[in-house]
Amino acid sequence: MPKSKRNRSVTLSKTKKKPGLERKGKVVTEIKDAIERHSSAYVFTYNNMRNQKLKDLRDQLKSSSRIFLAGKKVMQIALGRSPADEAKTGLHKLSKFLQGASGLLFTNLPRDDVERLFREFEANDFARTGSIATQTVELKEGPLEQFSHEMEPFLRKQGLPVRLNKGVVELVADHVVCEEGKPLSPEAAHTLRVLGTKMATFRLYLVCRWSSDDFEVYKEGLAHLGGEEADESS
């Protein structure tokens, strides 16, 4: 016999909200608050993101500005995607530029100060696997006196033809670590790090600017828009 509907159990507890939805809602709220607190907003893009360097920049600007790196749709929802739903007049124009490796800056700094900050910002670091080598690095046959004997197994694991000769690490043949214009292998990236060779430069580029009475697009930033995306939420 079919079960009576009267005997079905009913759960009275409230359904918990998904953490992802709560986080996105929080970001939207924070962006809307930043809109109210700051006089201008910028979309920016970047190359070779380094989270610690970005954190340092955030700390530097925390008295006057707020930086967001979140899901593009989340940021677009907060700004508005059309005149009908924009948070402030003209603000929806920023939304279409939120693509690829991009973020938002809300600030009370004068435009000249922001432009100078982004123009001068630069942080050199070690390149990661898959990055394009900016130069050819070749090691010549002979002793590698910058390395202790303990490094010999590590270097051999990275593909270097090395041996210990009276306690000194020795390269038994010339070895090309990487070639300019080609992607770095994991071994090449590791080797460049121990050599102290930095090939990555974290840079920021302004894409466009909004204020209550103005909107501007920066051609250089527009040319760099797209590419890598940072693993950041806000």
Side-chain angles (χ1 to χ4, degrees):
M1 292 180 64
K3 291 184 178 180
S4 171
K5 292 182 180 180
R6 294 178 181 177
N7 296 329
R8 290 181 182 176
S9 60
V10 178
T11 302
L12 299 177
S13 59
K14 293 182 179 179
T15 302
K16 292 183 178 180
K17 292 182 179 179
K18 295 181 179 179
L21 291 176
E22 289 184 348
R23 184 169 60 252
K24 290 175 182 177
K26 183 173 181 288
V27 173
V28 169
T29 299
E30 290 178 352
I31 290 176
K32 287 184 177 294
D33 180 63
I35 292 169
E36 296 300 322
R37 292 175 177 270
H38 300 91
S39 59
S40 59
Y42 296 78
V43 171
F44 65 89
T45 187
Y46 49 82
N47 289 335
N48 298 307
M49 169 59 70
R50 294 298 184 266
N51 290 340
Q52 183 56 51
K53 300 297 183 182
L54 182 65
K55 181 180 181 300
D56 294 342
L57 181 62
R58 279 177 164 150
D59 291 342
Q60 177 186 338
L61 297 176
K62 65 182 179 181
S63 64
S64 63
S65 311
R66 183 77 192 271
I67 293 173
F68 290 89
L69 286 180
K72 305 304 175 288
K73 289 184 179 179
V74 173
M75 292 191 289
Q76 289 170 348
I77 288 170
L79 295 173
R81 289 185 254 197
S82 70
D85 62 2
E86 62 187 4
K88 284 190 175 182
T89 302
L91 201 56
H92 78 280
K93 295 177 182 178
L94 296 176
S95 290
K96 73 174 183 179
F97 294 100
L98 286 168
Q99 53 185 276
S102 59
L104 286 171
L105 167 71
F106 295 93
T107 185
N108 289 318
L109 291 173
R111 180 177 61 183
D112 289 348
D113 289 356
V114 175
E115 291 175 353
R116 182 173 62 254
L117 174 69
F118 273 66
R119 186 170 55 251
E120 295 176 353
F121 182 86
E122 184 176 288
N124 295 318
D125 201 355
F126 297 107
R128 296 168 178 167
T129 300
S131 298
I132 302 301
T134 59
Q135 65 186 87
T136 297
V137 175
E138 182 177 6
L139 300 176
K140 295 297 185 181
E141 177 184 352
L144 299 175
E145 296 180 350
Q146 66 267 49
F147 298 117
S148 68
H149 68 279
E150 297 171 342
M151 288 292 292
E152 190 266 344
F154 173 82
L155 295 172
R156 191 162 4 97
K157 189 176 180 180
Q158 308 315 313
L160 276 70
V162 293
R163 67 180 180 185
L164 283 178
N165 184 1
K166 297 180 180 180
V168 176
V169 179
E170 184 178 65
L171 198 64
V172 299
D174 293 349
H175 178 74
V176 177
V177 177
C178 62
E179 294 182 57
E180 182 178 355
K182 293 186 177 181
L184 295 179
S185 66
E187 295 77 16
H190 293 154
T191 303
L192 291 174
R193 181 174 287 271
V194 297
L195 288 171
T197 303
K198 296 181 178 182
M199 287 193 181
T201 302
F202 173 29
R203 288 193 177 96
L204 300 171
Y205 304 93
L206 294 173
V207 176
C208 57
R209 170 186 176 272
W210 168 90
S211 67
S212 60
D213 57 358
D214 190 25
F215 183 79
E216 180 180 4
V217 175
Y218 296 89
K219 290 183 179 179
E220 182 183 7
L222 196 59
H224 285 88
L225 189 60
E228 65 179 80
E229 294 195 45
D231 183 17
E232 289 266 341
S233 59
S234 69

